[in-house]
Amino acid sequence: MPELLIYVLLPFFLAGLLCALPGGLRAYGAAMAALLCAVLFGLFATALPTVGAGGAVVQSMPWLPSHGVELALRLDGLSMLFALLITGIGAFIFLYVGRYLAGSAMLTRCVVLLLLFMGAMLGSVLADDVVMLFVFWELTSLMSFLLIGFDGKEAKGRAAALQSLLVTGGGGLALLAGLLLLGNVVGTFRISEMIAATPLVLESPLLPAIVLLILGGAFTKSAQFPFHFWLPNAMAAPTPVSAYLHSATMVKLGVYLMARFTPVFGEDPLWTGALLTAGSITMLLGCALALRERDLKRILAYTTVVGLGTLTMLLGIGGEVAALAAVIFLVVHALYKACLFLVAGAIDKATGTRDITRLGKLARAMPVTACAAILAGLSMAGLPPLVGFLGKELVYEAALGGSAVVVVVALLTNAATVAAAGVLVYRPMFGPGHPLPKAPKEVYLSLYAGPIVLAVLGLLCGLVPALMLGPLASAAAAAIGGHEYVLIDLYLWHGFTPMLLLSIVTVALGLLIFRFADRWRRAELPGSVSAEGVYATLLEGMQRLAVWQTRRLQTGSLRGYMRAVFAVIVVTIGSALLVFDGLAIPDDVLAPRLLDMIVIGLVLLGAVATALLSSLLAGIAAVGLVGFGVALIFLLFGAPDLAFTQFAVETLFLVILTVLLLHLPHREPEHRTRGQRLADGAVAIGVGTVACLLLLAVLSQPFDRSVTAFYETVSLPLAHGKNIVNVILVDFRALDTLGEIAVLGFAGLALAALLRVTRGDDEAERSADR
């Protein structure tokens, strides 16, 4: 098995192991998960010399070879960057959650779900096959649903979890369609081969549909406008979960998808235009909404929306500078966002609230946490010497290569981010403050160790970016931009440049926005149509449609259900035969033999008699006539084994069903109106007609003996059987045969239960009569 696949499966293995361990050992589950993250981080880092030099580690094994699907994995600069963020930040998240939920019965469940989530993320970013990518992609949606609705007792959490699942799940369906179309265009499901076949993709008439479908999946996952609303609502999850989802995993997966396919679609105007437009709107909207919030986690959530919009906009700008800016900003955002989320959780634990209008003067009571928050806040604001300054400079450099609108959007967004950093850090740590539910004090080491390390990493990456990020950032940028690998010399100070001037203006404008942030938060805004309101309306409409549909379809009449099912079959198959010119009649059908006509006449006689006879026993006999006629057809066309089987089945059917009828209670027949009889007759005639036309169309085609020849060739040497039919049933289709036997067994059990119930009803009626 490939090593990379083992790395992906290890979190799943540990999750299963924790479920099997006794209760006493489960308490160490968080520490074990943190250790696994550290080990995986080290294992991925061992490939850094290869990946950091522009190479890649590629491994694969067959999965569905008949469909060209493989368990293919590729570790290049982009996937390495995400793998290190997932495992590195994950280690601190697991240490944090061990203390955050200490003593809670939900601790093991949270650790298991986070492990499954981490494994799904690793599988997604390492997959080099789009089918494998989609499987892990959907697994992240499922795990996020369980994590967001972690406390199933809270209606708000359940609603947020359902919202995230519906939005990202709907996008996942669009993504699947887009990936399958793309695979059909290039003739492969390997992502690396798709990138190599870019000219073929750009010339395809299906390009617009592919782009829109793939972006539908990416936008919903990364909370781009108009799908941004689900992300802040996901704050119902525990703080460690929110930190992991927003910094290194769930929401970044959409960005990863866009970055991975940018080399394929980067020259398509629809792709670049959609990324620029959605990214810019998401940035501005996220800033406006972030500054109106009071809860620390919701402010962080909306600033995550801003960060995701920034990454989307950079990918839309395109070019080597924008690709490098996206990579550095990705690291910047992951470090400060994880740190600030963990700080918010520590503040909540220490004070009992996350309301910024009540928090203040925490720096004295929580000095270590305050230091981590200050460093992360400076990086978020883009101030030197933190790595956030380098990221902001590169964002401006990339924006200057675009249009003036992009520069203005970047300036306003970065200024609002400076203000948001002040709200998140300055207000709680140095603001005036108000009485709190609990007297604040420094939290446990495991709650502030992660934020301190992450904050210090942000400082080191800013001071020595070439050493900390150079090779990996260069390789990741090359993978995004689709250009040849070139080692980029990163440095914090770029001199007196237009980017520095924009940075100065950003800080000044950000301080001004911070000055009036309270007024903006308290301002009364006129009612307007919102994306979340549209979602609520659609959800309500879907529920009403489901109620109406249920009332219309679930009538309690078995005959009605059968009528609806067969009517749909008639319409769909009949329409397909007409639309796709499938009507055809074989030549030999027009000259039947006399004996054939006699047998067919018997079958028709039995069918008509079954429909017309009022006696149930007579109807059963007429059905038997149909079965015996079919057995004669088998016999006439050289299938004596099937004919004798059919004879035996029909005989047993008649005998057993007749005996069973003697034990069933007598019921008045169901009376049908003339209209119902006509509808049933029309459906029956339609089914027969469509089945006949379909069979004639099949018989008109040349007979393909490839399957027959295969069984004739391999039945004796492989299955050691001379009777090909028996070999097919027992060996080649053993699971199908087992399933058929199981169906018969279930039917027998149901029939036995039915007889027992009816026998009890009869005894009750006789007792009542006495």
Side-chain angles (χ1 to χ4, degrees):
M1 183 179 292
E3 295 178 1
L4 292 178
L5 184 58
I6 294 176
Y7 299 165
V8 172
L9 295 178
L10 279 176
F12 295 96
F13 173 78
L14 180 57
L17 180 63
L18 289 180
C19 294
L21 289 177
L25 295 178
R26 289 183 185 179
Y28 301 97
M32 296 166 64
L35 179 61
L36 175 64
C37 288
V39 170
L40 288 175
F41 184 91
L43 291 173
F44 284 120
T46 58
L48 194 56
T50 300
V51 175
V57 179
V58 181
Q59 299 173 354
S60 65
M61 63 181 296
W63 186 15
L64 298 173
S66 59
H67 297 284
V69 180
E70 297 178 282
L71 290 174
L73 300 103
R74 180 181 178 87
L75 184 65
D76 60 2
L78 182 61
S79 53
M80 168 73 88
L81 176 63
F82 274 87
L84 293 179
L85 289 176
I86 293 167
T87 54
I89 294 179
F92 297 113
I93 296 296
F94 282 112
L95 286 177
Y96 189 94
V97 77
R99 170 54 62 179
Y100 191 85
L101 296 178
S104 171
M106 308 292 281
L107 173 60
T108 301
R109 179 187 174 194
C110 185
V111 172
V112 168
L113 291 177
L114 284 173
L115 281 170
L116 296 175
F117 189 85
M118 182 179 74
M121 277 298 302
L122 288 176
S124 299
V125 301
L126 293 175
D128 193 33
D129 184 281
V130 293
V131 176
M132 180 180 177
L133 167 64
F134 176 76
V135 170
F136 283 109
W137 176 285
E138 287 300 284
L139 188 56
T140 62
S141 296
L142 178 60
M143 291 301 105
S144 64
F145 167 76
L146 296 175
L147 287 167
I148 294 171
F150 185 72
D151 189 355
K153 297 179 180 179
E154 293 187 3
K156 183 178 179 181
R158 295 196 304 271
L162 177 62
Q163 186 180 79
S164 70
L165 183 65
L166 291 177
V167 174
T168 60
L173 293 177
L175 174 64
L176 176 61
L179 294 177
L180 292 179
L181 285 177
L182 180 60
N184 288 330
V185 168
V186 300
T188 178
F189 292 130
R190 292 289 288 266
I191 298 176
S192 54
E193 295 175 3
M194 290 177 174
I195 295 174
T198 295
L200 182 62
V201 177
L202 296 178
E203 295 173 359
S204 172
L206 295 175
L207 179 61
I210 294 173
V211 167
L212 292 176
L213 289 170
I214 291 179
L215 286 181
F219 282 2
T220 53
K221 185 76 80 171
S222 59
Q224 296 302 293
F225 176 85
F227 308 106
H228 60 282
F229 57 88
W230 72 265
L231 187 56
N233 293 334
M235 293 302 96
T239 298
V241 173
S242 302
Y244 205 26
L245 264 63
H246 285 239
S247 61
T249 52
M250 173 73 171
V251 296
K252 297 288 177 62
L253 189 52
V255 173
Y256 168 81
L257 183 74
M258 291 184 283
R260 179 57 77 193
F261 283 99
T262 290
V264 181
F265 305 110
E267 297 181 7
D268 178 52
L270 178 60
W271 175 272
T272 56
L275 294 184
L276 282 172
T277 303
S280 300
I281 296 176
T282 304
M283 293 164 67
L284 295 174
L285 186 61
C287 288
L289 295 175
L291 295 175
R292 289 187 59 80
E293 294 292 337
R294 299 170 54 174
D295 186 280
L296 286 174
K297 285 181 63 176
R298 288 188 63 86
I299 297 173
L300 287 168
Y302 276 115
T303 56
T304 298
V305 172
V306 176
L308 296 172
T310 303
L311 289 167
T312 302
M313 183 195 70
L314 290 172
L315 294 174
I317 293 173
E320 297 183 14
V321 175
L324 179 63
V327 170
I328 298 301
F329 187 81
L330 179 70
V331 176
V332 170
H333 184 268
L335 292 178
Y336 80 69
K337 189 53 61 73
C339 177
L340 289 177
F341 259 114
L342 298 182
V343 166
I347 291 175
D348 189 17
K349 279 287 185 181
T351 65
T353 182
R354 298 193 302 261
D355 190 341
I356 59 170
T357 62
R358 301 181 62 184
L359 294 170
K361 299 180 181 180
L362 297 181
R364 292 183 180 180
M366 306 174 66
V368 180
T369 303
C371 289
I374 291 170
L375 288 176
L378 292 175
S379 184
M380 180 179 177
L383 297 177
L386 279 299
V387 69
F389 177 76
L390 174 61
K392 185 177 64 177
E393 293 276 288
L394 288 171
V395 169
Y396 279 138
E397 184 177 354
L400 289 170
S403 64
V405 175
V406 173
V407 176
V408 172
V409 170
L411 177 62
L412 293 176
T413 301
N414 286 328
T417 303
V418 172
V423 172
L424 287 166
V425 178
Y426 180 81
R427 288 282 177 82
M429 297 302 169
F430 305 102
H434 295 85
L436 299 172
K438 294 193 296 186
K441 62 179 180 179
E442 195 60 85
V443 290
Y444 296 99
L445 173 64
S446 54
L447 291 184
Y448 64 70
I452 283 291
V453 174
L454 293 170
V456 171
L457 282 175
L459 177 61
L460 292 177
C461 289
L463 293 174
V464 284
L467 177 63
M468 299 291 291
L469 300 173
L472 181 57
S474 302
I480 295 174
H483 55 264
E484 293 294 329
Y485 169 80
V486 177
L487 181 60
I488 302 172
D489 186 18
L490 296 174
Y491 45 92
L492 187 67
W493 175 252
H494 292 76
F496 295 96
T497 62
M499 289 78 75
L500 180 62
L501 177 61
L502 286 173
S503 294
I504 295 173
V505 174
T506 297
V507 175
L509 183 58
L511 293 176
L512 182 63
I513 296 175
F514 175 72
R515 174 67 178 79
F516 294 98
D518 288 340
R519 294 186 182 181
W520 170 247
R521 185 175 62 251
R522 293 192 297 264
E524 293 290 337
L525 299 181
S528 59
V529 177
S530 64
E532 188 166 7
V534 173
Y535 162 83
T537 302
L538 291 176
L539 182 61
E540 183 180 358
M542 184 177 66
Q543 292 171 339
R544 289 181 177 178
L545 176 62
V547 172
W548 173 84
Q549 185 183 41
T550 302
R551 289 175 178 173
R552 295 287 296 178
L553 297 180
Q554 300 298 326
T555 60
S557 171
L558 180 59
R559 178 176 285 108
Y561 299 153
M562 299 296 292
R563 184 191 304 123
V565 170
F566 284 122
V568 171
I569 292 175
V570 170
V571 172
T572 54
I573 299 180
S575 301
L577 290 173
L578 293 174
V579 172
F580 297 103
D581 196 20
L583 300 177
I585 300 178
D587 295 335
D588 55 350
V589 173
L590 300 177
R593 297 175 299 177
L594 177 60
L595 189 57
D596 297 339
M597 295 296 296
I598 295 174
V599 174
I600 293 174
L602 289 175
V603 174
L604 290 176
L605 178 62
V608 173
T610 302
L612 297 179
L613 290 173
S614 59
S615 171
L616 188 58
L617 288 176
I620 293 174
V623 171
L625 182 60
V626 175
F628 288 125
V630 172
L632 290 175
I633 293 176
F634 290 151
L635 191 61
L636 290 175
F637 285 89
D641 52 347
L642 290 178
F644 290 130
T645 303
Q646 182 73 13
F647 280 128
V649 169
E650 287 301 325
T651 302
L652 289 174
F653 171 77
L654 290 174
V655 173
I656 295 175
L657 190 57
T658 304
V659 172
L660 290 176
L661 287 176
L662 299 176
H663 292 77
L664 290 176
H666 177 70
R667 294 288 187 266
E668 289 295 328
E670 181 181 356
H671 296 285
R672 290 180 294 162
T673 64
R674 180 179 178 84
Q676 290 174 333
R677 291 178 180 274
L678 291 176
D680 292 342
V683 171
I685 294 173
V687 171
T689 304
V690 168
C692 179
L693 294 175
L694 182 62
L695 181 59
L696 291 175
V698 171
L699 293 176
S700 65
Q701 300 299 316
F703 184 67
D704 185 2
R705 282 187 49 83
S706 58
V707 176
T708 304
F710 169 79
Y711 286 127
E712 290 175 347
T713 304
V714 303
S715 290
L716 184 59
L718 293 184
H720 307 288
K722 296 181 179 180
N723 188 316
I724 297 178
V725 175
N726 289 345
V727 167
I728 293 173
L729 294 176
V730 176
D731 292 281
F732 293 107
R733 293 185 56 200
L735 291 179
D736 290 344
T737 304
L738 177 62
E740 293 167 0
I741 295 173
V743 169
L744 293 175
F746 292 142
L749 292 175
L751 186 57
L754 177 63
L755 291 174
R756 176 171 296 182
V757 170
T758 54
R759 186 181 300 115
D761 292 342
D762 288 345
E763 293 175 355
E765 291 178 4
R766 287 194 294 269
S767 299
D769 293 339
R770 289 195 296 267

